[in-house]
Amino acid sequence: MADNARAKRLADLIREVVAEKLHRGIKDPRLGTHVTVTDTRVTGDLREATVFYTVYGDEEDRKAAAAGLESAKGVLRSAVGSAAGIKHTPSLTFVADALPESAKTIDEALARARAADEEVRKASSGASYAGEPDPYRKPGEPGLDDEADDADDAEVSDASAAPESSDGRESPDAAGGKDESA
């Protein structure tokens, strides 16, 4: 079994050779310039290669390109074998890449999100805040109840004067700091 680096190098070479041969060497009108090789994968034993491709056009063009690739498989494999210079040339399998359909689905989802954002933007254009623009009170503002604030401060200072333990009794530190058990 070959290492992954060798399989990757062979996959890259196959992608380049097949793309170049499709673009310049094969005169099949079904293939033309609207077939793009997107990816190539080679098995670990370097015996089989999968070539992923996309076709610019409609479903009829895709079917014609698939038939053209099947008929040109032998010529493409020979070109790969002469370029690779290895003992056994991998057999080629052509698979239509699902990338364009995935991209179309993502584009449609983004268009729906943009439309929803635009609706929210239109709905919020004349809206105002539910409360005041600045909800925080500042000291010295008219309308504040200073007596209520003073009463809250007094409660806090009373609670800090006599700390209690968790069972409700005063802690030894608050009773003079002496431990009577010793």
Side-chain angles (χ1 to χ4, degrees):
M1 181 177 266
D3 60 350
N4 288 338
R6 185 173 179 198
K8 174 134 177 56
R9 283 194 315 266
L10 182 61
D12 291 343
L13 177 72
I14 291 171
R15 187 182 73 240
E16 291 172 12
V17 169
V18 168
E20 184 66 27
K21 193 72 171 167
L22 285 175
H23 185 65
R24 297 184 194 271
I26 297 186
K27 303 296 183 196
D28 192 342
R30 297 176 289 186
L31 299 176
T33 59
H34 56 275
V35 175
T36 304
V37 177
T38 56
D39 193 18
T40 307
R41 295 191 184 146
V42 178
T43 58
D45 61 358
L46 306 179
R47 297 284 180 167
E48 298 176 16
T50 305
V51 179
F52 295 93
Y53 67 94
T54 59
V55 179
Y56 182 73
D58 58 358
E59 189 62 34
E60 184 178 314
D61 291 336
R62 289 186 194 112
K63 288 180 182 178
L69 287 170
E70 276 302 313
S71 69
K73 187 185 287 190
V75 174
L76 293 171
R77 185 173 181 214
S78 297
V80 167
S82 64
I86 55 178
K87 186 189 297 185
H88 178 17
T89 303
S91 61
L92 301 177
T93 305
F94 293 96
V95 176
D97 201 352
L99 183 68
E101 289 81 19
S102 299
K104 188 182 297 184
T105 304
I106 291 171
D107 286 342
E108 290 170 356
L110 289 173
R112 285 193 305 267
R114 277 189 219 104
D117 286 348
E118 188 61 34
E119 288 177 23
V120 169
R121 192 177 359 265
K122 286 179 183 177
S124 68
S125 65
S128 63
Y129 291 105
E132 299 173 8
D134 186 13
Y136 301 105
R137 293 192 275 175
K138 297 178 180 76
E141 280 187 3
L144 288 179
D145 188 12
D146 290 333
E147 293 174 11
D149 287 341
D150 292 340
D152 290 340
D153 291 340
E155 289 176 13
V156 170
S157 64
D158 289 344
S160 64
E164 296 181 358
S165 65
S166 61
D167 59 357
R169 296 180 295 164
E170 282 190 16
S171 66
D173 294 335
K178 294 184 180 179
D179 189 10
E180 294 179 17
S181 62

